[in-house]
Amino acid sequence: MDWINLVSAWAVPVMIAFIPLYAYFKKVPVYESFVDGAKDGFSTAIGIIPHLVGMMVAISVFRASGALDFFVGWMAPMLSWLKVPPEVLPLGFLRPLTGTGSLAFTTDLIKTYGPDSMIGRIASTIQGSTDTTLYVLTVYFGAVGIRNGRYALKVGLFSDIVGFVAAIAVCLLLFG
């Protein structure tokens, strides 16, 4: 186990040192390449701002309108019957939308119920089993100008549902 800790501690510093050294020996202008990449990154960031603002507004409207709370209340009896804590359901809606928002929600659940509670375990597993699909599509498709991402959206959301259900099932199987 000590060698795993050693490798994990040195992996990033070695890569940070290796890449510029490799580029230098290959006669690549390292600093100029970095500056060109930074310029491209800045223009990409400017290009995706409208997409990010639109997504953040939609998330805020969804939460502030009470639609999220209504849906959780509506699903609570069925979830309780399945032995699924209804407190984790909002995470299933937030995680595909926003990484920061879902992490904040998970942090609140862990503070409230504890990290070793079933709710804390399920929330943590959901965080690791799903992705911020709408954010990813917004950023990457907005950056390259893709306008029709319906298949990517369907597959991404389907994989989030599978990850959500699998996270709950695995936690209930292992810890329930």
Side-chain angles (χ1 to χ4, degrees):
M1 270 310 196
D2 288 337
W3 68 273
I4 292 175
N5 291 332
L6 184 66
V7 169
S8 66
W10 281 96
V12 173
V14 167
M15 289 299 293
I16 289 173
F18 173 75
I19 292 171
L21 285 173
Y22 180 78
Y24 175 78
F25 287 117
K26 287 292 190 173
K27 306 289 188 226
V28 174
V30 177
Y31 183 74
E32 291 80 8
S33 298
F34 174 78
V35 170
D36 288 341
K39 285 180 191 173
D40 292 343
F42 186 72
S43 63
T44 299
I46 296 297
I48 65 172
I49 286 175
H51 301 281
L52 290 174
V53 169
M55 184 185 69
M56 293 302 170
V57 168
I59 293 167
S60 297
V61 168
F62 182 64
R63 291 188 78 187
S65 70
L68 180 63
D69 294 332
F70 172 77
F71 192 73
V72 169
W74 181 69
M75 292 289 293
M78 183 180 71
L79 291 172
S80 295
W81 181 75
L82 293 170
K83 307 282 190 266
V84 175
E87 293 85 357
V88 299
L89 186 61
L91 192 55
F93 290 108
L94 291 174
R95 182 68 177 144
L97 297 172
T98 170
T100 306
S102 64
L103 184 59
F105 189 80
T106 299
T107 302
D108 288 343
L109 287 176
I110 290 172
K111 281 182 183 175
T112 303
Y113 299 100
D116 292 330
S117 68
M118 184 59 75
I119 292 171
R121 289 176 174 165
I122 290 174
S124 298
T125 307
I126 290 169
Q127 278 290 118
S129 303
T130 57
D131 199 1
T132 54
T133 301
L134 296 176
Y135 175 80
V136 169
L137 293 178
T138 299
V139 170
Y140 293 119
F141 284 14
V144 296
I146 295 175
R147 298 283 178 229
N148 188 1
R150 69 175 181 248
Y151 296 116
L153 178 64
K154 289 176 186 176
V155 169
L157 291 177
F158 179 72
S159 67
D160 283 332
I161 292 169
V162 169
F164 182 77
V165 171
I168 293 170
V170 166
C171 285
L172 291 175
L173 182 68
L174 292 177
F175 305 114

